[in-house]
Amino acid sequence: MRDEARAAELRDKLAGELLAAGYLRSARLEAAFRAVPRHAFVPAGTPLDVTYQVDRAVVTKRDERGGAVSSVSAAYVQVAMIEQAELKPGMSVLEVGSGGYNAALLAEVVGPDGQVVSVDIDPEVTERATALLHAAGYGDRVTVLTADAGREISGWGSFDAIIVTVGAWDLSPAWLGQLAAHGTLVVPLRMNGVSRSIAFRRSDAHLISTSAVVCGFVPMRGVGAHANREFRLPDAEGRVVTLGFDDGAPDDPALLDGVLAGPRAEVWSGVTIRHGVSFADLHLWFAGFLPGFCKLAAEDGTEPAQERKTWFPFAVVRGDSFAYLSVRPALDGTGVEFGARAYGRHGHEAARAMVDQIQAWNDLSRNRPEPTFAYWPTGTTPVHLPECTAVLNKTNGLVTISWPTG
């Protein structure tokens, strides 16, 4: 009983934090969040203070290599995505990716006259979700199915909202087919390695965003899976820097052989930012406008790893060279200046390409309204695109990211 009382206390505290931060906005979702015991859906033994942290996801299953394949997402992401769906009592909701907790929140929000269907490809995950939902009193309010949600969920017709709780590289035609004409699709969409939870609604033959939230999710499996390509670059001691490509990997990665053996170049942008200020939109700008964009990871002992607090895991490849986003002290110690450090014979050019985009972001996008996202299914043609628009090719269509410049 003492643990339940402590959990309720922490849940109310967390609700207050989410309200204050603007993630939790509607009265129905606030009531749902205060009612559903989050701790009942995480693995046994998970400390309550971990369970009820605002930004802490709790892994519920790992694969044979230790990678997370299912989790209870961070609380701020869960409530933000449900708010994005703009649910009302009586609505029908398809949840892609099961865990139990999020489905229970959805059931509370749509009420007894609504319908929640939760689908996951992994029978172990759906078995666990079913058992936990029953134990928490939601067994007759949520239908849990084992299926590949990248395909049509037959026998269920259309849904007022589809909320995808796994990282998707593309939009499944099945989701568009089962989304009601007035419906909202909320999906953590990967765009060249950078993710946003985007709420889409139909606009004629395509989809247009109504909101977007910074997020991160375990990747989708099944027909919607998309594998990254990784290039491991050893230094002279055999320690490795890894470049990971979501899309647009170089045609001849052998050009990078031995790239870490030479001296490092630096180019600085003159663009500064104060400590504690988010610049997540810079990463999205890179994803849209920086050809050769990729993620970077460095093993301990490599030169970048020795300066880990002065760089971020975003890089760009140019032929036989690569550069990565770096910072150095600025603003009399209250902030940093953006720049790029680089390796390879043409490292200066790679760093210059990254810095050019830092400066373009600063001039054209920074401190302006958020970009608008659109999805154009195969067979449709993008029209009336603003001048500052990035176009990303997907299997089933195109994604456009348009930044306001006025």
Side-chain angles (χ1 to χ4, degrees), residues 74-156:
Y76 84 91
V77 173
Q78 289 179 307
V79 298
M81 291 179 71
I82 295 174
E83 293 285 17
Q84 285 184 286
E86 298 184 25
L87 301 178
K88 294 179 175 60
M91 281 188 168
S92 59
V93 185
L94 172 64
E95 179 193 40
V96 176
S98 295
Y101 175 65
N102 199 65
L105 291 175
L106 295 172
E108 289 282 354
V109 174
V110 301
D113 295 327
Q115 180 183 71
V116 178
V117 178
S118 183
V119 180
D120 200 285
I121 196 172
D122 189 331
E124 185 177 324
V125 170
T126 53
E127 181 179 349
R128 178 181 184 276
T130 299
L132 294 177
L133 285 163
H134 274 283
Y138 294 92
D140 59 349
R141 300 177 62 180
V142 178
T143 301
V144 181
L145 303 175
T146 304
D148 187 336
R151 306 183 189 277
E152 180 182 352
I153 309 302
S154 60
W156 289 92

Side-chain angles (χ1 to χ4, degrees), residues 265-269 337-342 347-352 355 358:
E266 296 183 358
V267 177
W268 297 96
S269 67
E337 177 188 2
F338 293 114
R341 297 185 174 106
H348 187 274
E349 289 88 335
R352 184 72 254 172
V355 164
I358 294 170

Side-chain angles (χ1 to χ4, degrees), residues 211-265:
S211 63
V213 176
V214 176
C215 67
F217 277 85
V218 298
M220 191 169 183
R221 293 183 284 170
V223 295
H226 177 81
N228 287 351
R229 291 186 64 188
E230 291 189 347
F231 303 132
R232 293 170 56 83
L233 310 176
D235 65 11
E237 305 298 325
R239 293 167 296 213
V240 173
V241 169
T242 301
L243 302 179
F245 291 84
D246 179 77
D247 199 9
D251 294 329
D252 189 3
L255 291 174
L256 293 167
D257 289 350
V259 68
L260 297 176
R264 188 172 62 181

Side-chain angles (χ1 to χ4, degrees), residues 229-399:
R229 291 186 64 188
E230 291 189 347
F231 303 132
R232 293 170 56 83
L233 310 176
D235 65 11
E237 305 298 325
R239 293 167 296 213
V240 173
V241 169
T242 301
L243 302 179
F245 291 84
D246 179 77
D247 199 9
D251 294 329
D252 189 3
L255 291 174
L256 293 167
D257 289 350
V259 68
L260 297 176
R264 188 172 62 181
E266 296 183 358
V267 177
W268 297 96
S269 67
V271 176
T272 60
I273 191 168
R274 295 198 176 277
H275 293 313
V277 177
S278 172
F279 52 95
D281 52 340
L282 173 59
H283 312 155
L284 185 65
W285 182 274
F286 285 156
F289 290 120
L290 186 60
F293 176 75
C294 60
K295 295 288 189 70
L296 177 143
E299 283 186 0
D300 289 342
T302 58
E303 188 172 28
Q306 295 170 28
E307 302 172 338
R308 201 175 291 280
K309 293 183 178 180
T310 69
W311 57 270
F312 297 87
F314 303 99
V316 60
V317 170
R318 286 289 186 272
D320 60 2
S321 306
F322 75 91
Y324 56 98
L325 179 64
S326 302
V327 293
R328 66 182 180 182
L331 302 175
D332 296 325
T334 65
V336 294
E337 177 188 2
F338 293 114
R341 297 185 174 106
Y343 292 93
R345 288 193 307 153
H346 299 89
H348 187 274
E349 289 88 335
R352 184 72 254 172
M354 177 166 271
V355 164
D356 284 347
Q357 291 305 326
I358 294 170
Q359 293 168 335
W361 163 77
N362 185 66
D363 294 341
L364 300 175
S365 173
R366 189 177 182 184
N367 299 323
R368 293 184 177 172
E370 293 292 318
T372 298
F373 303 84
Y375 187 84
W376 306 81
T378 299
T380 63
T381 302
V383 294
H384 307 305
L385 296 180
E387 180 180 353
C388 195
T389 296
V391 179
L392 304 179
N393 292 303
K394 300 290 183 178
T395 302
N396 303 315
L398 299 173
V399 173

